[in-house]
Amino acid sequence: MAETKKRKKKMIGLQPEGDIDWSKYRGIMVVVEQRDGTAKSVSWQLLGESKRMAEKLDAPLMALVIGHNVRHIAEEAIGYGADIAYLCDSPELKNYRTRPYSRICLNVIREYKPEIVLYGATYTGRDLAGAIATHLPTGLTADSTMLDVDEERLLHASRPAFSEKMMATILCKQFKPQMATVRSGTFEALPFDKDHKGEIIPVQPVLKPESIDTEVLEFIEATDRVDLEDAQVIVAGGRGIGGPQGFDVLSDMAKELGGTVAATRAATDAGWIDHAYQVGQTGSTVRPKLYIAVGISGAVQHVVGMQNSDYIIAINKDPEAPIFKIANYGIVGDWMDVIPALKAAWMERKQKQVANPV
Ligand SMILES: Cc1cc2nc3c(=O)[nH]c(=O)nc-3n(C[C@H](O)[C@H](O)[C@H](O)COP(=O)(O)OP(=O)(O)OC[C@H]3O[C@@H](n4cnc5c(N)ncnc54)[C@H](O)[C@@H]3O)c2cc1C
C-alpha cells in the first residue's frame, strides 16, 4: 500500500510540501500563444491585466514565448508590457504539440518560479495548462473572467459557476504557481509601446526524444471557421430577427463593414445559426470596436459577452429593451427598416469618400 502511494506520487510529479520554499516564487508569467508567427490577442490582453496585478505585487511581469522564428513575438511581448520575455526558439517547436510545449513550460516554471502563471482559455491554452497542471503540485482555474491579487499575494480567479448563475472566486492557498486560463476578450491589452524596456532571455529547449512523440503532418483549415474573438466589427442577431434568413441580411451588412455576424443563444438554440457564433456567458466573449445588436433584448447572459465593445449600437422595436441601457446609440424600430437604411447611409458615405478622398 505504502509502495503504491509512493509510486503514484512520483508518477504525477508531486513533491512533498515540506521540501518547497514557496517564498522563492515571484512574479506573473503569461504563456504567449502564437501560430505561424502571429500571437493571439488574448496573450496581449493577459499582459495588460497582469501588469496591473504585477504592480500591486511589486513583482516582475514575464512572458514565455515558444515556437520557431518567434523572436519578434518576444519583442512584441515587451512592447505590450512584459519586463522579461523568455524565448524558447527551435525548429521542433514550430507547431504546437502538447508534450514538447508542456515540458518546456514545466522547465521554465521550475527554473524561474513565477507565483502566477496565466494562459488564454483557447483550445491550445486549455490543453497546455491542463497538461502542465497535472505535473505541478498546484491547481488550475479554468475559463476565468475576473482576476485580482490580494495583500497575501493570492490570486483571486473568478469564473461563472452553478450553470452560470453565480460567480465563484477560486484561490489556491497552499501551492505555487497559482494558475488560471482566461477567456479572450475579457481584458484590454495595453497600447503597444515600442520604447518599453525589457529583457529577452533565451531558453534552451531541453527535450528528451520521448517528449517529441507526435508529428504534425498537415493543417486542414476549416473554411467556415468563426473568429469572433478578434473581430473588429460584429453585427449580432437575436430572436427579434425572426428566422435564419435574417442572418443572411446581417451577414451582408457585416461583410460591408468588414466584420462578422454573431448571435444570441436564443438564435443559436433555435437552429438559425451555428452555436460557434454565440456571444455571451456560454459562448464567446468579444471586444470589437463596433457591436451592432439587432433584435436582442439585452439579457445579462448575453451582455457579459459583449459589454466591453468600444461602441454598441442597439436596434430594437421595444423602447424599454434592457440592451438600450448599455448601448452608446439606440435605434427604436423594426430591424427590417433600420438595417437597409443604415446600409444605404453607409454606402452613400463610402461613395462620397471615394469621390472626395481626404
Ligand atoms: C445558464 C444560461 C446561460 C446562458 N448563456 C447565454 C449566452 O451565452 N448568450 C446569450 O445570448 N444568451 C444566453 N442565455 C440566454 C439569455 O438568458 C437570453 O434568453 C437570450 O440572450 C435572449 O436572446 P434574445 O435577446 O435574442 O431574445 P429575446 O430576449 O427574446 O429578445 C428578442 C428581442 O427582439 C426584439 N424584437 C422583436 N422583433 C423585432 C424587430 N422586428 N425589430 C427589432 N427588434 C425586435 C424584442 O423587442 C426583444 O427585445 C443563457 C441563459 C442561461 C440560463
Side-chain angles (χ1 to χ4, degrees):
M1 181 69 173
E3 178 59 19
T4 324
K5 261 193 186 162
K6 211 167 134 193
R7 272 198 17 236
K8 210 169 174 189
K9 250 189 176 179
K10 201 169 168 214
M11 265 172 62
I12 61 171
L14 282 179
Q15 287 156 288
E17 198 187 330
D19 287 353
I20 304 170
D21 178 6
W22 297 121
S23 66
K24 292 209 171 111
Y25 283 70
R26 276 285 182 273
I28 304 179
M29 181 175 279
V30 171
V31 179
V32 175
E33 183 175 334
Q34 62 85 25
R35 177 139 173 226
D36 294 334
T38 305
K40 283 258 174 194
S41 52
V42 64
S43 306
W44 308 147
Q45 294 162 7
L46 277 175
L47 280 177
E49 183 65 3
S50 300
K51 186 84 183 168
R52 180 186 67 78
M53 296 192 291
E55 278 166 10
K56 252 176 126 174
L57 293 171
D58 191 18
L61 176 56
M62 301 166 266
L64 171 56
V65 177
I66 305 174
H68 183 44
N69 292 331
V70 286
R71 191 179 167 87
H72 63 286
I73 297 183
E75 285 162 2
E76 266 186 274
I78 304 278
Y80 279 109
D83 302 308
I84 303 167
Y86 296 105
L87 171 63
C88 192
D89 198 313
S90 177
E92 69 263 31
L93 298 170
K94 183 175 181 327
N95 296 314
Y96 172 76
R97 284 172 293 171
T98 311
R99 210 187 285 240
Y101 269 56
S102 61
R103 291 300 181 269
I104 285 163
C105 287
L106 280 164
N107 290 344
V108 170
I109 290 170
R110 285 179 178 138
E111 171 91 18
Y112 297 103
K113 300 184 173 41
E115 60 201 297
I116 295 172
V117 183
L118 301 171
Y119 313 78
T122 58
Y123 290 117
T124 301
R126 285 176 179 142
D127 180 66
L128 181 64
I132 293 167
T134 57
H135 288 274
L136 290 173
T138 188
L140 169 69
T141 305
D143 250 3
S144 312
T145 53
M146 266 164 34
L147 296 176
D148 208 353
V149 284
D150 66 18
E151 57 289 345
E152 287 176 51
R153 309 187 77 87
L154 288 173
L155 174 70
H156 293 228
S158 305
R159 49 154 300 152
F162 296 108
S163 305
E164 320 267 327
K165 289 196 180 71
M166 51 198 303
M167 291 296 282
T169 299
I170 296 159
L171 277 68
C172 176
K173 286 187 169 179
Q174 287 170 332
F175 302 107
K176 298 268 164 34
Q178 306 159 85
M179 304 209 298
T181 62
V182 178
R183 277 194 186 196
S184 182
T186 308
F187 300 118
E188 204 171 349
L190 294 170
F192 183 77
D193 176 3
K194 66 176 175 38
D195 298 323
H196 182 246
K197 295 271 173 295
E199 189 184 0
I200 297 179
I201 299 181
V203 172
Q204 283 311 312
V206 186
L207 288 170
K208 292 182 189 149
E210 64 267 25
S211 294
I212 312 178
D213 55 356
T214 55
E215 195 184 338
V216 178
L217 298 178
E218 191 187 358
F219 277 103
I220 301 166
E221 200 72 63
T223 48
D224 55 353
R225 195 169 149 260
V226 185
D227 205 355
L228 287 181
E229 282 154 10
D230 285 331
Q232 296 297 303
V233 176
I234 291 179
V235 183
R239 203 190 321 258
I241 68 159
Q245 302 79 2
F247 279 102
D248 296 337
V249 180
L250 299 192
S251 267
D252 278 354
M253 180 75 188
K255 263 189 214 134
E256 192 52 54
L257 297 173
T260 179
V261 78
T264 63
R265 180 155 148 187
T268 58
D269 279 355
W272 299 348
I273 187 166
D274 193 88
H275 277 284
Y277 291 89
Q278 187 181 310
V279 168
Q281 242 176 50
T282 40
S284 297
T285 305
V286 298
R287 190 185 264 278
K289 289 199 186 331
L290 174 64
Y291 191 92
I292 307 182
V294 188
I296 292 176
S297 60
V300 65
Q301 294 90 351
H302 183 74
V303 167
V304 291
M306 45 69 79
Q307 63 193 351
N308 291 325
S309 308
D310 287 354
Y311 281 96
I312 299 169
I313 300 178
I315 302 165
N316 198 303
K317 66 178 187 184
D318 174 7
E320 303 298 324
I323 192 78
F324 287 129
K325 291 202 180 101
I326 58 147
N328 300 88
Y329 299 98
I331 304 173
V332 179
D334 190 318
W335 74 274
M336 283 196 266
D337 301 327
V338 178
I339 287 286
L342 272 182
K343 194 170 168 191
W346 166 254
M347 301 292 275
E348 195 185 329
R349 196 188 158 133
K350 224 166 86 173
Q351 272 159 12
K352 271 192 195 147
Q353 267 180 0
V354 174
N356 307 304
V358 193

